[in-house]
Amino acid sequence: MAAERNGIGMVDFAFLDWFWLAAFLIIMLISGIRFYRLGKRSEADYFLAGRGLPWWLPASSVYATHTATDTPMWVSGMVYKLGLSGLWYTFYSSWCAIGAFVAAKIFRRSLAYTQAEWQSLRFGGMAGELLRGWIAGWQVFLNMFILGWVGIAMGKVCNFLFQWPPWVGLVVFSSVCAVYVLASGYWGVVMADFQQGVIAFIVIVIVSIWGINVAGGPSGIAEKLHQMGEAGKLNPFNFTGLFGGEFPLAWFITMLFIGVLGGLGMGTAIDWFPEAQRIQSARTVKDASWSIWSGSALVLIRNALWGVAILAFFVIYPDLTEVKNYEMAWFRLGFENLPVGMIGFFFAAIVAIHISTISTHLNLGAVYITRDLYHHYINPEATQKKLVWVGRMGTFLLLLGSFAFGLIMENITEWLIFALWIMAAGVWLPGILQVIWWRFNGWGYLTAWISNLVFSWLVVWVLPAFGVLPELRDYQQFWALMALGALVFIPVTLLTRPEDMDKLVKFYVMSRPVGWWGPVRREAERRGLL
């Protein structure tokens, strides 16, 4: 075996193992150099690859970006604890299936670089300007946060393998990735994502199947689970009651509600923001739609492979109780069972998985710094050369910020669930209303964001700590925060003036949103614009 069965021993790399790692890193650096010429031409090239990509390139980038170092940890944590029903925690990505043919088309027609810029197209006046600045600042923070948790996940993997302090894995590989992102911008990101996505998918298939065979194959795993009295882990609908237990029916219904309806809006999940960049980099509206649909389909296939592999790990190590131990399940299947020579290829694939996400969020955060903060508010007359330079400086600042965030994160699963669920719960419904309802205005959306930040910390952390409120389950927190937010943003929307009709007509004619836009559509027809 390449590692000790208890997972404590270091992994010994042979020459071939180091060769795979070195070869991969060299290829990535060459990618950055090769596309430097294209990335430096303009802001559109540095952040959107000139809006000329065929659907399969942004699709591979969607898949690669959402296959990060922390992702198998998160999936492992859920499936080890809950069985196949834990895969429903990843069902939020199903919003892409609807969003690909609704929100993606609307956003691509708008030609906005970012979600923040889209706010100033959808909403006017002071509220629209405040929203653009708010979303831009929030995205700078959130991308640093994401970079930090993905980076520290890599630190945990390197600690498991080589006994390195976690900060080493956090800093080294993110820094290597930053080299080609700084050089070539989104061109380097998307072209490297294609290579990384292919490598990652091949390795996910190999390691998962290998681990499944070690555990006795699908039938052997099923038989062992029955013998252990854990047959329920094979059932993806293994509800533990209506409201109680680890996986209640109420939680499942909540997930369906969020995943299906969320595709009608924009900003209903933190995943929307990387998707938005890929939507705008596609050469046509049709390419944008297919890139989101096919990229998310690959994500669901990947999750299915992981689910069975993690059950294989469970039958081998059924008695792990600490999250930090069993969230390493998929990694341990590979490192403890692959032969010498394949270990290095596996680790190179993990590095690929890691930097595909790091590169995306470095470039994505930089576009908000450049396009929405610097170009829009500070220097509207900036040259294209200046904007590319600011983009590179923004990338470097995000890298430094990610190191700070990474060093304060202890438990990957807990932080990830908080970011995915709670910090977005109160703006989930407003994210839909801004697309489907003409009367929803900028002041309603702005207050939804602000109130959600306050309510999320109160409901999740502060009030339970002081015994004022009991600790709520994840799905209960979602409904509570959505209801509390609605008590704020709906009255604010109805008590403030609608958006200017000229603004709404211009937006409607350009973007063609769905839903309740009757008055705006009639006005556009009256003006002869439709």
Side-chain angles (χ1 to χ4, degrees):
M1 294 297 176
E4 296 297 326
R5 274 297 184 185
N6 59 16
I8 297 174
M10 294 178 62
V11 172
D12 293 323
F13 269 35
F15 171 79
L16 186 58
D17 295 311
W18 289 114
F19 169 80
W20 289 120
L21 178 59
F24 172 74
L25 292 176
I26 290 170
I27 289 172
M28 292 302 100
L29 291 175
I30 290 174
S31 238
I33 296 170
R34 179 176 176 80
F35 292 98
Y36 171 76
R37 179 179 57 84
L38 297 178
K40 73 176 184 177
R41 294 186 303 191
S42 67
E43 185 183 31
D45 280 301
Y46 195 77
F47 292 119
L48 296 176
R51 299 186 195 266
L53 301 179
W55 67 269
W56 51 272
L57 271 174
S60 64
S61 187
V62 167
Y63 166 73
T65 296
H66 297 312
T67 308
T69 327
D70 67 296
T71 317
M73 292 184 183
W74 182 37
V75 177
S76 293
M78 294 299 103
V79 175
Y80 187 94
K81 182 171 62 173
L82 302 176
L84 293 181
S85 61
L87 288 175
W88 290 110
Y89 267 86
T90 67
F91 187 74
Y92 70 90
S93 59
S94 67
W95 68 264
C96 296
I98 294 175
F101 301 101
V102 180
K105 289 184 174 182
I106 296 168
F107 187 72
R108 179 63 179 84
R109 293 187 193 112
S110 75
L111 299 181
Y113 276 58
T114 67
Q115 179 72 25
E117 184 177 354
W118 190 83
Q119 303 304 316
S120 61
L121 298 175
R122 170 63 176 86
F123 305 113
M126 179 64 72
E129 288 299 313
L130 289 173
L131 270 170
R132 183 167 185 173
W134 172 267
I135 299 295
W138 168 250
Q139 276 299 297
V140 172
F141 159 77
L142 190 58
N143 278 283
M144 283 186 186
F145 180 88
I146 294 169
L147 287 163
W149 94 48
V150 172
I152 201 62
M154 190 65 185
K156 293 178 72 172
V157 172
C158 291
N159 177 260
F160 169 78
L161 285 178
F162 311 115
Q163 304 299 298
W164 294 348
W167 69 266
V168 175
L170 164 69
V171 171
V172 170
F173 294 102
S174 293
S175 298
V176 171
C177 173
V179 172
Y180 76 79
V181 179
L182 282 164
S184 54
Y186 187 72
W187 273 110
V189 171
V190 74
M191 298 309 295
D193 273 357
F194 176 73
Q195 301 169 55
Q196 292 156 1
V198 170
I199 293 170
F201 193 81
I202 290 171
V203 169
I204 287 170
V205 171
I206 291 172
V207 172
S208 298
I209 292 176
W210 202 296
I212 291 167
N213 286 334
V214 167
S219 59
I221 293 170
E223 182 180 347
K224 290 174 184 176
L225 287 172
H226 278 89
Q227 292 172 356
M228 297 161 61
E230 296 283 357
K233 290 188 181 293
L234 295 169
N235 182 5
F237 301 100
N238 186 30
F239 306 126
T240 54
L242 183 59
F243 298 106
E246 291 281 359
F247 185 53
L249 178 61
W251 196 101
F252 175 73
I253 293 172
T254 300
M255 179 59 74
L256 290 178
F257 181 79
I258 294 170
V260 174
L261 295 184
L264 298 174
M266 298 181 189
T268 55
I270 64 171
D271 279 346
W272 163 258
F273 300 93
E275 257 79 343
Q277 189 181 25
R278 277 120 193 90
I279 288 167
Q280 289 296 10
S281 70
R283 62 187 174 190
T284 66
V285 172
K286 184 177 181 180
D287 282 291
S289 292
W290 281 105
S291 70
I292 300 303
W293 186 89
S294 53
S296 58
L298 283 173
V299 169
L300 296 178
I301 293 170
R302 175 208 71 191
N303 291 347
L305 283 169
W306 273 342
V308 181
I310 294 156
L311 286 184
F313 181 84
F314 178 82
V315 302
I316 299 171
Y317 299 108
D319 300 320
L320 301 180
T321 56
E322 294 188 30
V323 175
K324 66 180 182 180
N325 291 329
Y326 61 70
E327 71 180 359
M328 296 294 292
W330 185 73
F331 291 117
R332 288 185 62 179
L333 279 179
F335 288 123
E336 295 179 5
N337 296 289
L338 291 175
V340 173
M342 283 296 293
I343 294 291
F345 188 70
F346 181 37
F347 185 64
I350 292 172
V351 174
I353 286 171
H354 174 67
I355 65 178
S356 65
T357 302
I358 294 294
S359 63
T360 286
H361 289 285
L362 283 173
N363 188 251
L364 179 63
V367 70
Y368 285 95
I369 292 173
T370 306
R371 178 77 174 181
D372 296 300
L373 297 179
Y374 179 79
H375 194 186
H376 184 68
Y377 291 108
I378 299 173
N379 188 2
E381 304 301 321
T383 63
Q384 292 299 304
K385 182 178 180 180
K386 181 73 170 179
L387 292 172
V388 172
W389 182 86
V390 172
R392 290 186 172 130
M393 292 302 99
T395 302
F396 183 68
L397 290 175
L398 286 160
L399 180 69
L400 295 181
S402 74
F403 295 157
F405 275 112
L407 293 173
I408 64 174
M409 293 185 188
E410 180 65 25
N411 187 301
I412 294 293
T413 305
E414 182 180 350
W415 277 97
L416 186 56
I417 290 175
F418 179 74
L420 288 178
W421 285 89
I422 309 311
M423 296 176 106
V427 293
W428 180 84
L429 181 57
I432 297 173
L433 292 177
Q434 66 176 334
V435 174
I436 68 171
W437 187 30
W438 75 275
R439 180 62 179 83
F440 189 63
N441 63 19
W443 293 113
Y445 197 41
L446 185 63
T447 54
W449 272 95
I450 297 172
S451 62
N452 179 64
L453 288 177
V454 175
F455 287 140
S456 63
W457 284 97
L458 286 175
V459 170
V460 178
W461 304 112
V462 179
L463 295 181
F466 288 94
V468 177
L469 190 72
E471 291 190 10
L472 301 177
R473 304 285 298 274
D474 294 341
Y475 74 90
Q476 293 170 327
Q477 291 170 349
F478 176 83
W479 289 106
L481 290 171
M482 190 175 71
L484 288 170
L487 292 176
V488 175
F489 68 76
I490 289 179
V492 168
T493 297
L494 297 177
L495 293 173
T496 52
R497 298 182 62 180
E499 297 295 332
D500 179 74
M501 185 56 72
D502 289 340
K503 181 83 172 180
L504 291 172
V505 167
K506 182 179 179 180
F507 170 78
Y508 184 85
V509 171
M510 173 177 59
S511 299
R512 303 295 178 88
V514 298
W516 294 278
W517 287 82
V520 181
R521 179 179 177 82
R522 287 191 291 272
E523 179 61 20
E525 290 173 340
R526 188 188 69 79
R527 298 183 185 187
L529 299 175
L530 291 178

